Amino acid sequence: MVSSTAQANRKYPDMLDLKPVLGAIDAVLGSAARPVELHEPRFGQRERELVLDCIDSNWVSSAGKYVTRFEEMVAAATGARHAVAIVNGTAALHAALVLEGVEQGDEVLLPAITFVATANAVSHAGAIPHFVDSTWDTLGLDPQALEAHLDAVAERRNGAWVNKQTGRRLRAVVPVHIFGHPVDMAALGAVAAKYELVIVEDATESLGSTLGGKGCGTFGHSAVLSFNGNKIVTTGGGGMIVTDDEAHARHARHFTSTAKRAHAWAFDHDEVAYNYRLPNINAALGCGQMERLPAMVDAKRRLAERYLLAFSDFPWARIYREPEGSQSNYWLNTLVLEREYAAERDRLLAALHGHGIRARPLWTPMHLLPMYRDCPRSQLPVAEDMHTRCINLPSSPFLAESANKV
Ligand SMILES: *Cc1c(COP(=O)(O)O)cnc(C)c1O
C-alpha cells in the first residue's frame, strides 16, 4: 500500500511501487499453479463422455444430435428463441452481418476498442468498419458519442442514411459487451432507431451476462456468441447466431450450411452460401460445458469480488466493476490504472509476467492497426485513454477455488 505520509505529501508517488500490486494479485490467485494464464478451459468427465459418444457413434461432423442440443442449451441460457451453431465467432459475425443485409461498400459502426475479429468480420462482408468511441460507464460503445458523431456526419439521401464524407450507406452497428460488461442497450437502441441502423450484438464475451435481467444477445435483431478456447464456455472453436426471429434463424441455418435443400439424395443448393456449420464433436463438448455455465458464471463473479476487495484500498488503480443495472459474467477482470500512471503500464506488465502472471494490455485500438488506419471514425479520446491504462488479469473460473479466503 502507499503509505499515508506519502499520500499526505502528494497525491501520487512518482513511480509506482509494484510490490503491493503483485502482492494483491498473489493473494487473489492463492495456490493456483504459476504461470497463471489469462483464461483457461477446464473439462470434466461429462465432456469426455459426450465427445466419446460422437466417436463411438461415428457422428463427428456437421450433422448429429449434439448440434441441436447445444443450440437449444445456448438459446435457453441467453433467452433467445433460436440459435444456429457456427464454426467460430468470426464466421458467425460475418454471416450475421450478411444476413442482416450488410452489402459490399456499406459502412458498419463498431467500437475502436474490440478484438480484431469484429472489424475483420465487417471486412469479410465487403463493408467498411467505421469506428466510434467507448465509454468508461461500460467499457463498450458509447451511445451518446455515437449519436453526436452521426448528427455530424450522417445525411439522408434517396431514403437511406449515408456518411456524407464518403457517400457510403450506414447500415448496421455492432455493440460489443467488452469483457462481459453489457453496453447500454436502451440508449443504443434509440440511436439505432433514429439512424435506421440494424443492431448485431457481438456477445462473444458475454454469455451469461444480463442487463435489466435480460440476457446479452437478446437486444439486437441478432447476436453472435463465441466458444473459442479462451471464452467462458468452449467447444475448442465455435460460434452461434441467436435471434428471436424464426424466419431469420431458418435462413441463417441454410446460409451457413451450403444452402442445401433438404432431400434424401439430391444435391440442390439455391444460393451462394457458406460451409460454416459447427461439427457435432465440437457441439458435444459444448453440451458438457453448458451444463456448467451457471457454476462458471458464479465462480467468475466470486473471483471478481476477490479482485475488487484486494484493490479496494489502492489510490492509483482499481478493478473495473460491472455497470449499474447489469450482472456481468466478468469474462476478464480489468485493472484500471489512474491516468497519471498510464506510462507505467508496460513496466507493470513486465513485472507481472516475470512473476508468472500472464496479464495482458487492452487490444490495440482498431484505428491504430495498419489495415484499418484509413477507415472512417469519430474522435476517439476515450478509446485511446482506455488502451493506455487497462490491464486484464487472470480470470479462469477455477481460480475462484484456489483464491485465498479473505
Ligand atoms: C472471441 C471474440 C470474437 C470471435 O472470436 P472467434 O475466435 O472467431 O470465435 C469476436 N469478437 C470479440 C470481441 C471476441 O472477443
Side-chain angles (χ1 to χ4, degrees):
M1 296 295 136
V2 177
S3 80
S4 52
T5 28
Q7 266 181 292
N9 294 341
R10 55 183 168 193
K11 195 169 169 210
Y12 302 104
D14 288 337
M15 239 182 140
L16 281 188
D17 177 7
L18 300 183
K19 262 213 212 89
V21 190
L22 298 182
I25 297 172
D26 266 338
V28 171
L29 299 178
S31 61
R34 307 302 194 263
V36 190
E37 303 298 335
L38 206 56
H39 207 288
E40 286 179 82
R42 276 289 193 272
F43 305 107
Q45 193 51 36
R46 184 71 176 142
E47 284 89 337
R48 211 175 285 265
E49 272 166 29
L50 298 179
V51 170
L52 259 182
D53 181 49
C54 286
I55 294 171
D56 291 343
S57 66
N58 233 15
W59 285 95
V60 295
S61 196
S62 48
K65 63 182 178 189
Y66 291 115
V67 174
T68 310
R69 193 189 293 179
F70 183 47
E71 289 174 342
E72 287 167 0
M73 292 177 94
V74 171
T78 56
R81 286 216 179 83
H82 308 281
V84 179
I86 308 285
V87 74
N88 62 53
T90 309
L93 270 169
H94 170 209
L97 289 166
V98 174
L99 287 160
E100 293 289 0
V102 171
E103 291 174 2
Q104 187 84 26
D106 285 347
E107 289 183 11
V108 173
L109 296 137
L110 70 156
I113 294 286
T114 183
F115 178 55
V116 71
T118 321
N120 285 347
V122 171
S123 301
H124 297 331
I128 287 91
H130 184 150
F131 301 116
V132 292
D133 211 7
S134 303
T135 167
W136 284 106
D137 292 348
T138 65
L139 298 181
L141 185 149
D142 181 347
Q144 278 178 314
L146 173 68
E147 181 168 26
H149 178 62
L150 289 175
D151 286 350
V153 305
E155 182 177 87
R156 209 162 161 81
R157 282 187 206 161
N158 308 321
W161 287 100
V162 300
N163 176 348
K164 64 185 174 198
Q165 296 166 341
T166 62
R168 291 189 289 245
R169 183 170 73 143
L170 297 162
R171 180 63 192 149
V173 59
V174 185
V176 186
H177 307 296
I178 305 286
F179 307 141
H181 303 302
V183 166
D184 180 350
M185 293 305 293
L188 179 65
V191 181
K194 177 170 163 186
Y195 287 102
E196 297 172 17
L197 299 166
V198 179
I199 297 176
V200 179
E201 278 175 85
D202 181 336
T204 50
E205 301 181 358
S206 54
L207 178 61
S209 297
T210 59
L211 175 64
K214 212 166 125 62
C216 279
T218 62
F219 293 92
H221 181 251
S222 61
V224 165
L225 303 172
S226 166
F227 306 101
N228 190 41
N230 62 345
K231 299 301 204 282
I232 184 165
V233 162
T234 186
T235 55
M240 193 79 76
I241 297 174
V242 295
T243 180
D244 280 345
D245 180 338
E246 190 185 354
H248 192 78
R250 208 177 313 117
H251 189 206
R253 181 162 288 122
H254 191 64
F255 184 66
T256 54
S257 47
T258 71
K260 185 180 176 305
R261 296 167 69 174
H263 191 279
W265 59 79
F267 290 108
D268 285 328
H269 307 263
D270 56 10
E271 64 179 316
V272 178
Y274 291 87
N275 174 18
Y276 275 179
R277 285 292 273 164
L278 184 73
N280 198 46
I281 192 164
N282 298 82
L285 198 52
C287 289
Q289 290 264 288
M290 283 303 291
E291 290 177 7
R292 297 201 271 136
L293 177 66
M296 294 210 247
V297 172
D298 179 66
K300 287 170 76 59
R301 291 183 60 78
R302 281 186 284 124
L303 182 66
E305 274 307 318
R306 296 256 162 79
Y307 274 125
L308 282 160
L309 196 63
F311 281 90
S312 57
D313 286 339
F314 279 66
W316 43 264
R318 67 189 165 100
I319 296 291
Y320 192 82
R321 190 182 284 278
E322 65 194 348
E324 193 110 5
S326 77
Q327 285 244 8
S328 175
N329 70 5
Y330 281 96
W331 175 53
L332 292 183
N333 286 283
T334 309
L335 182 70
V336 185
L337 299 175
E338 284 296 307
R339 194 166 288 129
E340 287 82 347
Y341 287 114
E344 296 276 69
R345 185 196 71 178
D346 289 355
R347 199 167 67 88
L348 176 54
L349 281 166
L352 288 167
H353 277 244
H355 201 67
I357 296 165
R358 300 265 165 87
R360 302 285 293 272
L362 209 55
W363 310 287
T364 300
M366 295 301 107
H367 66 293
L368 302 181
L369 298 176
M371 63 285 194
Y372 294 127
R373 192 173 290 154
D374 299 325
C375 288
R377 60 180 197 243
S378 69
Q379 303 277 76
L380 299 167
V382 179
E384 291 184 355
D385 178 35
M386 243 177 220
H387 167 60
T388 62
R389 57 194 180 98
C390 288
I391 289 178
N392 289 129
L393 300 175
S395 299
S396 304
F398 61 84
L399 293 173
E401 315 313 332
S402 60
N404 289 342
K405 303 284 177 264
V406 279

